Amino acid sequence: MSDVSLVRTPPRFRSATGESAGTRWALIAVAFTGLAILVFAPLIAVFVVALADGVAASLESLASRDARDAIRLTLTIAAISVPLNAAFGIAAAWFITKFDFRGKAFLITLIDLPFSVSPVVAGLCIVLMFGANSALGGWLVANGFPIVFAMPGIILATMFVTFPFVARELIPVMIEQGRAEEEAGLTLGASGWRVFWTVTLPNIRWALLYGVLLCNARAMGEFGAVAVVSGKIRGQTATMPTTIEMLYQEYLSVAAFSLAAVLALLALVTLLLKTALEIRHADQLAATHRP
Amino acid sequence: MGRPLIHRSPMPGLGLSMGITLTMLCIIVLLPIGALLLKGANYGLAGIWETVNRERVWAALYLSFRLSLLAAIFNLVFGVLLAWVLVRYRFPGRRILDAAVDLPFALPTAVAGISLTALYAPKGVFGQLAAEIGWKIAYTQWGIFIALVFVGLPFVTRTVQPVVEEIEREVEEVSATLGATRLHTLRHVILPMLTPAALTGFALALARAVGEYGSVIFIAGNIPLVTEIAPLLIIIQLEEFNYDAAAAIGIAMLLISFAMLLVINLIQVWSRRRIGYV
């Protein structure tokens, strides 16, 4: 891999398995330009617009009641849905990798299903299932437990769109690690839970953290599905992304972009941690991820 | 049927892990999707067809699909290039570039949406440049295209990257020894090896783009028949409490998603048969 490095090869003995220096730099330039326009520019624009009226104005808008309510709600939603999905991911990965049963491939396809369903359609599904004019939803509302246009609906929508994240990260890692270590633990007389806590969990901890990280980023930023189920009631069901939309449509640009900047910072921290994990614990992450 | 449904295993936790997995899968994913299909069944095929077969709905579905296809094609080419550059070349800033590829995964779609709009609107940095040559981007189909390129950007790169890493140098050396030019090797040796992964990434980017909502609605302008995407139509129907029509469009989109899921699986089966790995 290192033989196509920056090491200058004399032109006459150009490596037969590399491109010419000119081609190389041209491709690198295209990559840089493309990502600069497509990725870096939008990222920078968020902060530029957020700080257009100065740091004080930006911070002031974040201290407003709407913004604080939205931040609190988004944190609450993530704090509930991410651990639930992590628990699901661990259970599903355990079931799929420690046992042999028919229909395993089909089960994995079902778990991956939310990735190919539009978030808006996901939200629609939840409205149709639990909305006030469905049988179940009507009964729940009558008993004082509304789901749609309330927090449970937002949690369900968030869990739907982030459903596969943890399972998907854990399954390849646990397949690769096999069952021998757990079997050894069991033979030595450890209980099932003890084997899980002392053998399996330490083996999968970095992959689990990786999955949780991605799951959390998506959970806090989900917009389409939440926009459908939440009803966007200020102070009650307006999450950070839906509040950004409302502020933007009211032409409160600095307020909208300040809140957006908070989410952009979260995205940056997520990427930073993810890259750190990839560098330090590459061998313990899913095989599809690069060394 | 000699094969048991579940093989006996000394592993503990079968009941618990199976119970959690199936219960949560049903409550969170399968039952809600079932509710949508049931709603469609009650509404009837004729009803669904009547809803979908309207100019505004066709225009939206066609727009979503066509622009998603164009964006996915762009991402296919740029994604393969990016994967190649990131794996094969060493240059300052490579790690940052590599991490940046994932930003569209990490950045919430609403944030991307308003930010792209700020850039490409007539008063924005890129919008002004484009306006000088009489090119309007935001609030036209170009704007939707750019938003869809943004959300689909990581897919092809991330599926192709591991495959590029696994290409054995010897193969390229053999090709060169046999007298092939570098271009010939790339075209006839490397590219076929990357094709299955690239197509998988392409299909994933396409599926994502067809259903995308958050990053598109701000920049789209949302003019019926011109820049109105299919997911937005669902939201509009829901806001008018027109659940039947929303379900009909939702089912049409779900069918498109399932068709694409099938295509992804077929590509993987095909590539496994052809080269022995995905």
Side-chain angles (χ1 to χ4, degrees):
Chain A
M1 189 170 291
S2 55
D3 47 342
V4 261
S5 59
L6 283 172
V7 178
R8 292 235 180 90
T9 38
R12 273 177 302 160
F13 302 112
R14 188 164 69 77
S15 157
T17 59
E19 286 74 54
S20 69
T23 318
R24 220 157 54 211
W25 287 113
L27 289 178
I28 291 172
V30 171
F32 260 109
T33 317
L35 284 180
I37 294 174
L38 288 169
V39 175
F40 291 113
L43 183 65
I44 295 165
V46 175
F47 295 100
V48 170
V49 183
L51 299 174
D53 292 350
V55 183
S58 186
L59 288 178
E60 199 180 312
S61 75
L62 285 179
S64 76
R65 210 195 154 123
D66 282 349
R68 274 183 301 152
D69 284 343
I71 293 172
R72 191 177 313 119
L73 181 64
T74 291
L75 290 176
T76 313
I77 302 284
I80 296 171
S81 54
V82 173
L84 281 174
N85 266 358
F88 164 79
I90 294 170
W94 182 272
F95 178 47
I96 286 168
T97 60
K98 302 297 178 199
F99 300 99
D100 294 308
F101 53 90
R102 268 191 279 160
K104 196 183 271 192
F106 182 62
L107 179 64
I108 295 177
T109 306
L110 286 183
I111 291 174
D112 275 344
L113 199 59
F115 274 161
S116 37
V117 173
S118 164
V120 171
V121 175
L124 171 68
C125 289
I126 286 162
V127 168
L128 292 177
M129 173 101 196
F130 298 103
N133 48 359
S134 74
L136 178 62
W139 183 79
L140 285 167
V141 170
N143 286 281
F145 193 72
I147 289 189
V148 172
F149 304 144
M151 187 129 103
I154 306 177
I155 291 172
L156 281 173
T158 305
M159 286 182 69
F160 186 108
V161 293
T162 57
F163 199 65
F165 276 104
V166 178
R168 226 177 193 224
E169 186 58 38
L170 290 184
I171 290 169
V173 173
M174 284 172 70
I175 287 179
E176 205 173 298
Q177 286 171 348
R179 303 171 194 170
E181 288 183 31
E182 280 87 357
E183 278 163 0
L186 291 169
T187 324
L188 293 172
S191 71
W193 280 112
R194 182 142 185 227
V195 166
F196 173 75
W197 287 112
T198 54
V199 178
T200 310
L201 202 59
N203 276 341
I204 60 168
R205 63 185 168 192
W206 297 118
L208 180 64
L209 185 62
Y210 193 92
V212 165
L213 210 57
L214 297 183
C215 184
N216 180 59
R218 182 72 197 265
M220 291 182 132
E222 177 51 30
F223 178 64
V226 170
V228 173
V229 300
S230 72
K232 301 175 201 167
I233 309 161
R234 265 173 213 270
Q236 285 179 43
T237 62
T239 62
M240 287 172 78
T242 51
T243 304
I244 290 173
E245 187 203 15
M246 289 193 280
L247 294 170
Y248 185 81
Q249 282 170 351
E250 288 160 14
Y251 300 103
L252 296 169
S253 167
V254 166
F257 277 89
S258 300
L259 209 51
V262 176
L263 283 177
L265 279 178
L266 170 79
L268 285 178
V269 171
T270 304
L271 283 188
L272 203 70
L273 290 174
K274 180 175 162 295
T275 309
L277 276 177
E278 281 166 0
I279 294 172
R280 295 192 53 181
H281 303 287
D283 50 327
Q284 290 173 61
L285 296 177
T288 45
H289 294 285
R290 296 129 302 123
Chain B
M1 285 299 195
R3 221 148 61 90
L5 192 60
I6 299 176
H7 287 264
R8 287 174 64 95
S9 163
M11 281 291 163
L14 171 66
L16 185 66
S17 64
M18 184 169 72
I20 294 176
T21 305
L22 297 183
T23 310
M24 284 185 74
L25 183 65
C26 281
I27 295 177
I28 308 281
V29 179
L30 298 184
L31 285 176
I33 290 181
L36 173 64
L37 296 178
L38 190 70
K39 186 82 180 167
N42 286 337
Y43 195 35
L45 269 182
I48 293 178
W49 178 248
E50 204 182 301
T51 305
V52 175
N53 193 18
R54 269 187 266 164
E55 199 191 3
R56 191 172 170 190
V57 180
W58 272 131
L61 285 171
Y62 177 62
L63 176 78
S64 278
F65 202 76
R66 183 170 50 94
L67 289 179
S68 301
L69 200 63
L70 290 174
I73 291 171
F74 178 91
N75 278 332
L76 178 67
V77 176
F78 187 59
V80 170
L81 183 150
L82 214 50
W84 186 261
V85 167
L86 288 175
V87 176
R88 283 302 177 92
Y89 304 156
R90 290 293 172 273
F91 52 93
R94 188 183 66 94
R95 278 248 183 246
I96 295 173
L97 226 51
D98 198 357
V101 172
D102 277 331
L103 190 79
F105 279 160
L107 196 69
T109 53
V111 177
I114 60 170
S115 170
L116 288 171
T117 313
L119 282 173
Y120 290 97
K123 281 189 205 155
V125 180
F126 294 153
Q128 269 175 349
L129 283 176
E132 276 175 28
I133 54 166
W135 187 18
K136 202 163 173 278
I137 300 179
Y139 318 123
T140 70
Q141 297 190 356
W142 279 107
I144 304 178
F145 173 77
I146 285 171
L148 294 180
V149 165
F150 178 84
V151 296
L153 187 72
F155 288 100
V156 175
T157 308
R158 290 302 181 233
T159 47
V160 171
Q161 241 173 340
V163 183
V164 177
E165 266 160 16
E166 287 193 0
I167 294 176
E168 282 164 28
R169 258 329 145 77
E170 288 82 353
V171 181
E172 289 164 65
E173 283 165 9
V174 167
S175 176
T177 335
L178 292 173
T181 61
R182 185 64 188 157
L183 203 63
H184 194 87
T185 306
L186 285 176
R187 165 88 183 67
H188 293 280
V189 179
I190 306 283
L191 210 55
M193 288 198 265
L194 304 184
T195 306
L199 285 179
T200 304
F202 170 78
L204 289 171
L206 181 64
R208 172 73 203 262
V210 169
E212 180 55 27
Y213 173 72
S215 56
V216 177
I217 48 151
F218 297 100
I219 203 170
N222 307 327
I223 306 156
L225 302 177
V226 186
T227 54
E228 190 177 57
I229 53 165
L232 178 65
L233 268 191
I234 296 182
I235 301 238
I236 292 174
Q237 300 297 342
L238 277 176
E239 279 170 358
E240 293 166 3
F241 299 103
N242 201 346
Y243 290 106
D244 284 334
I249 304 167
I251 285 176
M253 288 188 60
L254 205 59
L255 289 179
I256 296 176
S257 310
F258 286 165
M260 284 192 290
L261 203 64
L262 191 71
V263 171
I264 296 174
N265 280 322
L266 287 177
I267 292 172
Q268 287 176 341
V269 169
W270 168 73
S271 78
R272 206 172 293 146
R273 214 173 279 155
R274 198 162 146 266
I275 0 185
Y277 63 91
V278 184

